[in-house]
Amino acid sequence: MTIETVRVPDLGGAEEVEVIEISVAVGDRVEVDQTLLVLESEKATMELPSPVAGVVARFLVAEGDKIKKAGIPLLEITIDGAVAARTPTETGAPATPTGAAKSGAAKSVQPARVEAPKPASAAVPAADSEPEPMAPAASAVATPAPAAEVGAAAQNPPPAATGAGIYAGPYVRRLARELGVDLARVSGSGPRQRVLKEDVQAFVRQRLTQPTAAAGGGAIPAVPEVDYARYGLVTTGELSKIGRLTAANMHRSWLNVPHVTQFDDADITELEAFRQTRKGEAETRGVKLTPVPFILKACAIALRDNPVLNRSLARDGAHFVQREYFHLGMAVDTPRGLLVPVVRDVDRKGIWELAAEVAALGDKARAGKLTTNEMQGACFTISSLGALGGRGFTPIVNTPEVGILGVSRAAVQPVWNGREFMPRTMLPLALSYDHRVVNGGDGGRFLTQLVALLSDIRLLLM
């Protein structure tokens, strides 16, 4: 009898994943590539396939377990189909009867210890020079929304010794620094009073719901509770993890970034005519040629020529970080919520290559198979609602990026050419930017060039 141990794969840059679903039970026969369980990071979910055919012998984790590194054993499969009868002393966990229900199999075992506690005196890592980009969903490594006290903390940051002597890991300490939370004021709920990220988040939520302080007046008043059932039949539901993170990130961006949105229309009549002539080649290549690759390419050129929009504000608020690469995020609507995969080095790729990558990333996003790395590193984001309709919207900047482009549905409109009105296909564009970094002139020049590039795609070659 051969036992195959299934382990946690490469986490793709995530600092922690959670076991959110166990798809099989002890005693179930599984085939190669059959989904065994589902892991979820702060930005994405991943289905873990079986590497072999066999019978599930035992689980080493349970639903809800949180895992912090690759290589941790998750379950065992007997390749010859025989399920080993093991005692708790042999396995370190109680055996689960063959054929148990999935939920029972997932919850009857004791969760394995996946990480030894770090000593309380662990050094606090140095702050990064640049915050990691994050998607509206998943941003990506999405960080929870900051408390109302963050604004005050930014003006009066906690002392350098904040959290000294507190039992907490490096990620929790970094999260506390970013939110301006003094760890000494947070009660730990983990083993030996270890402060978890949930404790920091709970502390922030508590501060948000407190009444506005008479002296500072900086807190945001809580929305009054409403008894909706008084007015009719209601049901309640829970937001998905991606939905919660999207809401948190958008709230943080809205509170911290002074937004300005500029609007314009691009005449894409010639672009659309060119796309129609390439339908045959697109079918031969097995890709769908949408306007998105052209928009990506045009944005990369406009960012190159208008570098202010390819910056991020440094943590100290007095410096900026200039990116010399052009990785663009594209928002994708999925059943799990809004995800933003990142197309890298757009300036170096041709239209066909971009079309294939856009399609592949979109499919992975909708299937829930994006990795954390595939949603990190964006300089600028494009959010297209063209397929859904609408004449315009004001997208929220995905901080620490300083710009985002909203694309609405193109429509044929009469346009005056100096002699007569001509039918032209016009594409509504909305550029939102962080006014701390980008001024109106910067935004205007970027949007004007973008309109010119989309109106005459020959300029993409210049």
Side-chain angles (χ1 to χ4, degrees):
M1 179 180 65
T2 304
I3 298 291
E4 174 76 15
T5 301
V6 181
R7 300 178 181 273
V8 176
D10 176 30
L11 300 183
E15 298 191 19
E16 179 182 87
V17 294
E18 180 180 346
V19 180
I20 63 169
E21 179 184 329
I22 293 181
S23 305
V24 294
V26 170
D28 285 356
R29 173 166 289 281
V30 296
E31 303 300 329
V32 176
D33 291 335
Q34 180 178 339
T35 298
L36 300 174
L37 45 79
V38 182
L39 305 176
E40 184 176 56
S41 70
E42 289 186 329
K43 283 192 174 181
T45 58
M46 64 179 88
E47 297 179 357
L48 189 65
S50 176
V52 296
V55 175
V56 178
R58 65 167 180 149
F59 289 97
L60 303 174
V61 293
E63 285 186 8
D65 283 359
K66 296 180 179 179
I67 302 167
K68 298 181 182 295
K69 60 182 179 180
I72 297 294
L74 297 172
L75 71 155
E76 293 179 348
I77 297 175
T78 55
I79 297 179
D80 63 357
V83 180
R86 303 184 179 215
T87 65
T89 56
E90 291 174 316
T91 64
T96 304
T98 300
K102 292 182 182 180
S103 59
K107 297 180 180 177
S108 63
V109 297
Q110 298 297 320
R113 186 176 184 84
V114 297
E115 183 187 35
K118 294 181 175 60
S121 60
V124 179
D128 299 330
S129 60
E130 177 189 4
E132 293 181 357
M134 54 201 71
S139 235
V141 194
T143 307
E149 72 172 315
V150 171
Q155 301 296 328
N156 302 289
T162 294
I166 303 299
Y167 189 27
Y171 172 73
V172 173
R173 292 179 184 274
R174 188 182 73 183
L175 175 62
R177 286 198 308 275
E178 292 175 350
L179 300 183
V181 174
D182 183 355
L183 282 177
R185 301 170 62 190
V186 181
S187 299
S189 62
R192 292 191 290 162
Q193 287 74 54
R194 182 184 182 93
V195 178
L196 309 176
K197 70 174 183 179
E198 290 81 5
D199 300 326
V200 176
Q201 294 167 354
F203 179 85
V204 168
R205 284 193 295 270
Q206 180 186 20
R207 293 295 174 179
L208 276 172
T209 57
Q210 288 180 348
T212 303
I220 299 176
V223 177
E225 185 101 13
V226 177
D227 182 8
Y228 301 102
R230 290 177 54 195
Y231 311 107
L233 181 65
V234 298
T235 58
T236 60
E238 184 179 0
L239 289 173
S240 66
K241 185 171 184 178
I242 291 175
R244 294 195 302 271
L245 290 169
T246 298
N249 289 335
M250 293 299 96
H251 188 229
R252 176 181 57 190
S253 293
W254 186 251
L255 289 177
N256 286 279
V257 174
H259 282 68
V260 174
T261 304
Q262 293 182 209
F263 303 89
D264 207 340
D265 294 323
D267 185 344
I268 61 168
T269 307
E270 307 304 330
L271 187 158
E272 287 297 281
F274 175 76
R275 277 204 317 121
Q276 297 304 316
T277 66
R278 311 318 300 168
K279 275 190 172 181
E281 185 176 355
E283 292 178 0
T284 301
R285 290 175 176 267
V287 299
K288 185 177 180 180
L289 187 59
T290 70
V292 173
F294 296 94
I295 297 171
L296 285 168
K297 192 70 174 180
C299 283
I301 294 174
L303 287 171
R304 180 198 66 192
D305 295 344
N306 300 272
V308 173
L309 279 97
N310 205 30
R311 294 175 179 172
S312 281
L313 193 64
R315 200 182 296 269
D316 61 7
H319 300 82
F320 64 83
V321 178
Q322 181 69 59
R323 295 181 180 87
E324 302 298 338
Y325 50 86
F326 303 94
H327 305 337
L328 304 187
M330 58 173 195
V332 178
D333 185 28
T334 77
R336 294 175 174 85
L338 191 66
L339 297 177
V340 186
V342 177
V343 184
R344 302 186 184 278
D345 299 315
V346 175
D347 58 317
R348 302 179 185 177
K349 296 174 180 176
I351 296 297
W352 288 118
E353 188 177 0
L354 290 173
E357 191 167 347
V358 165
L361 288 173
D363 289 343
K364 289 185 72 174
R366 285 180 283 271
K369 297 184 181 298
L370 286 173
T371 67
T372 301
N373 284 339
E374 289 173 319
M375 293 187 285
Q376 288 182 334
C379 311
F380 184 86
T381 296
I382 297 169
S383 180
S384 176
L385 296 180
L388 302 177
R391 298 177 58 187
F393 64 102
T394 54
I396 297 177
V397 174
N398 185 27
T399 186
E401 299 165 30
V402 298
I404 181 172
L405 182 72
V407 182
S408 298
R409 174 177 285 179
V412 176
Q413 300 177 15
V415 177
W416 181 254
N417 64 5
R419 300 181 306 276
E420 58 183 342
F421 284 101
M422 296 291 294
R424 307 295 292 179
T425 303
M426 307 301 292
L427 180 68
L429 303 174
L431 174 69
S432 291
Y433 52 81
D434 185 341
H435 209 358
R436 297 174 301 176
V437 179
V438 182
N439 292 323
D442 303 318
R445 283 184 288 272
F446 175 91
L447 196 53
T448 298
Q449 182 180 8
L450 184 63
V451 166
L453 290 166
L454 293 175
S455 297
D456 187 351
I457 58 174
R458 294 174 299 179
L459 298 175
L460 297 177
L461 301 175
M462 306 300 290

